[in-house]
Amino acid sequence: MPIVKYPRAAEPLWHEWDRKAQKCGLRHTLYAVNGDQYTGEWLDNLKHGKGTQVWKRTGAIYSGDWKFGKRDGYGSYSIPDPVTKKYKKVYTGWWKNDKKCGYGETFYAGGERYEGEWNSGMRSGWGRMYYRDGSIYEGQWLEDQPSGQGMLRLSNENRYEGGWKDGKKHGPGKFFYLDKGQLFEGVWVADIPKCGLLIDFGRDEAPAPPQYPIPKV
């Protein structure tokens, strides 16, 4: 009985090309269609391991750890200065699922700086913020705002210690007017003191005390 041989279906060439294009391990610089470029390690055709990404549109650079195509682990993110064209760091720290997560340090425009904990790309946990006007907040954060217990020290050394909510003084707290030698202890609601007690505190050492001391009750 004659044997009938059917012609074997030829595999499309693009299947072979696709297999050869699959990226795994360390690769030299690869360019995307939009001009972005990546140099580093791959796994299953995804950025995975150590690598550096450059975005053409903004000129930004990320150098650090990747996990299945996303920034995950420790790394730094920098952008070019619009005037000098030199790179300046924006964030250095930990990432998870392509967002800031864990401990890290961020540099803002105008010289402001935050160092502390992050969650899903927002300041959350403990952190310290250095503001442009010279004041410093140190304490708890939630969803990018001071929330919980914290201390705000102003540039003239006056300071507030107590509760915060949504970035405002809220709850029991103390405000030290060191320039006047006074202390206010009371309760705040949305940055406004509602009730409390004002007493002299270090009046003799204060640089600008009021003319008359507060009478004792």
Side-chain angles (χ1 to χ4, degrees):
M1 182 176 178
I3 299 175
V4 178
K5 292 185 177 181
Y6 294 96
R8 186 175 180 181
E11 184 182 27
L13 279 176
W14 71 267
H15 284 187
E16 182 182 353
W17 295 339
D18 186 63
R19 281 197 303 270
K20 290 181 178 180
Q22 295 294 307
K23 297 174 281 295
C24 187
L26 180 63
R27 286 293 186 97
H28 293 294
T29 303
L30 294 174
Y31 295 87
V33 176
N34 61 3
D36 296 348
Q37 52 183 297
Y38 173 80
T39 306
E41 297 176 304
W42 298 79
L43 179 65
D44 295 334
N45 212 35
L46 294 171
K47 301 163 191 169
H48 190 90
K50 302 287 185 183
T52 300
Q53 169 87 20
V54 181
W55 288 270
K56 182 180 180 180
R57 185 176 66 84
T58 61
I61 293 179
Y62 170 79
S63 181
D65 297 324
W66 296 80
K67 189 174 181 180
F68 300 116
K70 295 182 178 180
R71 290 169 290 187
D72 201 299
Y74 190 85
S76 63
Y77 179 79
S78 304
I79 60 173
D81 187 279
V83 178
T84 64
K85 306 302 180 183
K86 293 182 178 180
Y87 277 91
K88 57 181 181 180
K89 281 188 179 179
V90 174
Y91 175 78
T92 300
W94 293 91
W95 302 73
K96 186 175 182 180
N97 199 28
D98 222 29
K99 295 181 179 179
K100 303 168 189 173
C101 190
Y103 188 87
E105 187 174 14
T106 293
F107 302 87
Y108 299 92
E112 295 187 338
R113 177 167 59 94
Y114 171 82
E115 54 185 33
E117 296 175 305
W118 296 79
N119 187 33
S120 297
M122 294 186 290
R123 293 167 289 187
S124 291
W126 178 92
R128 183 186 295 118
M129 182 74 189
Y130 298 85
Y131 295 97
R132 188 181 307 180
D133 61 4
S135 59
I136 301 172
Y137 171 82
E138 181 176 355
Q140 294 174 308
W141 294 74
L142 180 64
E143 296 181 349
D144 240 14
Q145 297 286 352
S147 291
Q149 294 295 308
M151 179 187 72
L152 176 66
R153 188 171 74 241
L154 304 179
S155 57
N156 62 1
E157 298 300 327
N158 290 349
R159 70 179 187 271
Y160 168 81
E161 300 175 2
W164 295 80
K165 184 180 180 182
D166 299 329
K168 297 180 179 180
K169 306 176 189 72
H170 194 90
K174 299 178 181 179
F175 202 109
F176 295 85
Y177 298 93
L178 299 183
D179 57 340
K180 298 179 180 179
Q182 293 178 339
L183 165 65
F184 177 83
E185 184 172 1
V187 177
W188 274 257
V189 176
D191 244 4
I192 300 174
K194 291 296 184 178
C195 62
L197 179 65
L198 182 67
I199 62 173
D200 284 326
F201 181 85
R203 176 184 172 85
D204 295 337
E205 293 81 23
Q211 184 177 0
Y212 301 105
I214 298 175
K216 296 184 181 297
V217 179

